[in-house]
Amino acid sequence: EAGVVQSPRYKIIEKKQPVAFWCNPISGHNTLYWYRQNLGQGPELLIRYENEEAVDDSQLPKDRFSAERLKGVDSTLKIQPAELGDSAVYLCASRRTGRSGYTFGSGTRLTVV
Amino acid sequence: DQQVKQNSPSLSVQEGRISILNCDYTNSMFDYFLWYKKYPAEGPTFLISISSIKDKNEDGRFTVFLNKSAKHLSLHIVPSQPGDSAVYFCAAANYGGSQGNLIFGKGTKLSVKP
C-alpha cells in the first residue's frame, strides 16, 4: 500500500508570495487532514475533510489560507499571501472511517523569508 | 488550553534499559489514544494505540498503559535501542463523538545512548 504522498518536500518563498501544497492520500481513505507543526510543537489541525466535504475548518486562518479536495481524493492547501509566521512543516494525513490511526505524509517544510 | 500534555521535553536512556514516556490529558471525552514516533525530516509514524476500554496494549517492545482515573497514559519501551531515538508524540481523539480529530502533545525527544 502506497503511503500518503506530499509535494513539494521543501519550499522557500518571500513573504507576500503565494504558495500551494499538494497531498495524495492512501487509496480508500475517506478522511483527510491538514496539520501544521511549528518548531518544538506537536501537529495542530488546520482542516479535516470527509470525502470532498470540509467538516472542520475552525482552525484554518481563512483570511489567507484555503484548501480544496476535489473528487474526494487529492487535496491542495494554499496560502496567499504568505507571512513570516507561516514558516512551519505542513503535514497531510489520511485514515479510513472508524477507529484507526492516521497515516501521515512526510510533510512540506515551508520557509518564508 | 492544552488538552494533551507531555511535560518532559526530553529523555535520555541507556541502551537495553527501559524508556518510559508520559502523557496527561484533560478531556474526559477522549476515547482513543495513540503514540507516534517522528524522525527528523519525516512525518510522524504510528507506533501503538489504546482504546479507553482497555488499560494496557502491548506490541513487541512497546507497551502503552492507560489510567483513566488519573487521565494519564505512558509508553514503555523495553529494551530501548539506539534506533528508538526520535521524538515521540502522544495523541488523543474522541472517536465516539462527532469529532475524529487527533489532538497532539508537544512531544518528548528520546535519546538512547549505546
Side-chain angles (χ1 to χ4, degrees), chain B residues 2 5 7 9 12-13 22 27 33 38 56 61 85-87 89 93 96 109 114:
Chain B
Q2 267 193 292
K5 300 177 184 179
N7 293 318
S12 184
V13 172
N22 293 304
N27 189 342
F33 303 89
K38 187 180 183 303
K56 177 182 175 181
R61 297 185 297 113
S85 297
V87 178
F89 290 99
K109 184 177 182 179

Side-chain angles (χ1 to χ4, degrees), chain A residues 20-42:
Chain A
F21 315 123
W22 176 80
C23 173
N24 178 234
I26 292 174
S27 177
H29 282 198
N30 301 318
T31 308
L32 182 145
Y33 305 82
W34 282 101
Y35 277 79
R36 177 169 61 187
Q37 184 176 13
N38 292 308
L39 190 64
Q41 303 292 315

Side-chain angles (χ1 to χ4, degrees), chain A residues 9 33 35 48 56 100 102, chain B residues 36 41 89 95 100-102 106:
Chain A
R9 287 297 309 274
Y33 305 82
Y35 277 79
R48 169 172 136 242
D56 186 351
S100 61
Y102 297 10
Chain B
Y36 280 82
F89 290 99
Y95 282 164
N101 303 331
L102 281 185
K106 291 187 175 183

Side-chain angles (χ1 to χ4, degrees), chain B residues 66-84:
Chain B
L66 175 63
N67 182 335
K68 283 190 295 182
S69 61
K71 294 191 178 68
H72 176 83
L73 64 155
S74 60
L75 174 67
H76 292 211
I77 306 174
V78 183
S80 301
Q81 300 174 353
D84 296 329

Side-chain angles (χ1 to χ4, degrees), chain B residues 2-113:
Chain B
Q2 267 193 292
Q3 297 187 66
V4 178
K5 300 177 184 179
Q6 294 177 257
N7 293 318
S8 297
S10 62
L11 175 68
S12 184
V13 172
Q14 205 68 31
E15 180 180 5
R17 304 296 291 268
I18 184 172
S19 295
I20 300 176
L21 295 96
N22 293 304
C23 177
D24 298 295
Y25 62 95
T26 59
N27 189 342
S28 58
M29 297 301 292
F30 287 143
D31 57 9
Y32 201 67
F33 303 89
L34 306 91
W35 285 93
Y36 280 82
K37 180 170 68 173
K38 187 180 183 303
Y39 293 116
E42 295 183 11
T45 303
F46 171 73
L47 191 58
I48 192 169
S49 63
I50 187 167
S51 166
S52 60
I53 63 174
K54 296 185 176 182
D55 56 16
K56 177 182 175 181
N57 189 26
E58 192 172 354
D59 184 2
R61 297 185 297 113
F62 302 92
T63 303
V64 56
F65 295 92
L66 175 63
N67 182 335
K68 283 190 295 182
S69 61
K71 294 191 178 68
H72 176 83
L73 64 155
S74 60
L75 174 67
H76 292 211
I77 306 174
V78 183
S80 301
Q81 300 174 353
D84 296 329
S85 297
V87 178
Y88 288 78
F89 290 99
C90 171
N94 175 18
Y95 282 164
S98 61
Q99 183 184 81
N101 303 331
L102 281 185
I103 309 297
F104 285 84
K106 291 187 175 183
T108 297
K109 184 177 182 179
L110 173 66
S111 299
V112 181
K113 300 187 184 302

